[in-house]
Amino acid sequence: MLAEIDTWVLDLDDTLYPSSNGLADQMKALIRGILSRHFGTDDAGARRIQAELIAAHGTTLRGLMTTEGLAAADILEFEHHIDYSVLRADALLAEAIAALPGRKFVFTNGSAYHAEQALARLGLSDHFDGVFDILAGQLIPKPYPESYRRFVEQFSIDPSRAAFFDDLAVNLDVPEQLGMATVWVGGEPAPGTAPYEVVAPRRWRVWELAPFLHSLTAPAVRPSTM
């Protein structure tokens, strides 16, 4: 399975850890706090402004820099107030990622600082060859094609030999168009469902990441000759 893959590209938030730990909710609340203070509005107003910024500019960060002239460092300072202790080391996932052949990268719409903090808590810091963050993408996030092109160029990726993992299906459209295998991570399977399913050639839907990754490198079981 995926024997031709030698480059593994994984999203961070809600992919390398489950959404149930509330880390993403923390980040959303902190960003809304920035908007509330800057625009002098309540949480409902912050939500509306955020939706408008994302719709027009792709991310709140890029929108605030473009429309309000704020510096990236000043906006991303909120990450220093995230409680990363909600993340736990995942030995099974670490083992599965370590066993994958070839290079491994994190591709995140967050910052490199955020990725470093999260990967350290997850026990995955030593298992990746690089992090491509929102600043490396020149503030253009997934799912915009320019972001993926910059990533491919920066790390000399051969898309036909790469697999891209993300919790948002929309973020897999461009990788698929580029020729990558794609893996949609997350969601709730039906009772008794296997940890993953094959959606189409070189396309998977995965509910449990570690078991899926282990299945890619597990030795084939030979039938007994006795």
Side-chain angles (χ1 to χ4, degrees):
M1 185 186 295
L2 293 180
E4 76 282 9
I5 301 300
D6 61 13
T7 303
W8 310 85
V9 189
L10 292 98
D11 174 49
L12 173 62
D13 297 311
D14 295 344
T15 297
L16 288 177
Y17 63 82
S19 59
S20 57
N21 61 36
L23 187 68
D25 292 333
Q26 280 191 59
M27 292 189 286
K28 291 173 184 176
L30 287 167
I31 292 171
R32 291 198 304 272
I34 293 172
L35 295 172
S36 293
R37 291 188 295 274
H38 182 76
F39 292 99
T41 186
D42 58 11
D43 188 69
R47 289 174 185 268
R48 176 183 56 76
I49 293 169
Q50 183 176 34
E52 293 172 351
L53 291 172
I54 291 173
H57 303 280
T59 63
T60 308
L61 171 65
R62 190 179 182 204
L64 286 173
M65 293 180 66
T66 302
T67 63
E68 300 296 313
L70 300 184
D74 292 337
I75 302 169
L76 291 173
E77 197 272 337
F78 83 87
E79 293 176 332
H80 295 267
H81 301 282
I82 295 172
D83 178 11
Y84 288 99
S85 68
V86 299
L87 298 178
R88 297 287 184 271
D90 188 335
L92 188 64
L93 180 59
E95 180 183 284
I97 292 174
L100 295 173
R103 298 183 298 165
K104 302 123 192 182
F105 298 97
V106 169
F107 190 143
T108 176
N109 279 350
S111 74
Y113 170 83
H114 170 59
E116 290 165 1
Q117 301 306 306
L119 291 174
R121 284 283 182 174
L122 293 168
L124 301 176
S125 297
D126 297 330
H127 296 295
F128 287 95
D129 297 283
V131 172
F132 187 83
D133 73 340
I134 191 65
L135 299 179
Q138 297 182 22
L139 303 178
I140 299 176
K142 297 177 285 185
Y144 291 92
E146 298 94 324
S147 183
Y148 301 91
R149 285 200 292 267
R150 288 195 175 98
F151 167 72
V152 168
E153 291 170 3
Q154 178 173 330
F155 293 108
S156 300
I157 305 294
D158 177 356
S160 69
R161 299 184 62 82
F164 200 103
F165 296 67
D166 205 288
D167 66 296
L168 297 177
V170 68
N171 289 343
L172 299 174
D173 290 343
V174 173
E176 185 175 358
Q177 293 165 12
L178 291 172
M180 297 184 188
T182 59
V183 183
W184 183 13
V185 182
E188 293 295 331
T193 301
Y196 61 88
E197 68 175 1
V198 179
V199 177
R202 291 171 60 87
R203 288 177 58 198
W204 282 260
R205 178 74 189 274
V206 172
W207 293 281
E208 296 181 47
L209 183 58
F212 173 71
L213 294 180
H214 272 293
S215 75
L216 302 179
T217 58
V221 177
R222 297 182 180 274
S224 174
T225 58
M226 298 180 62

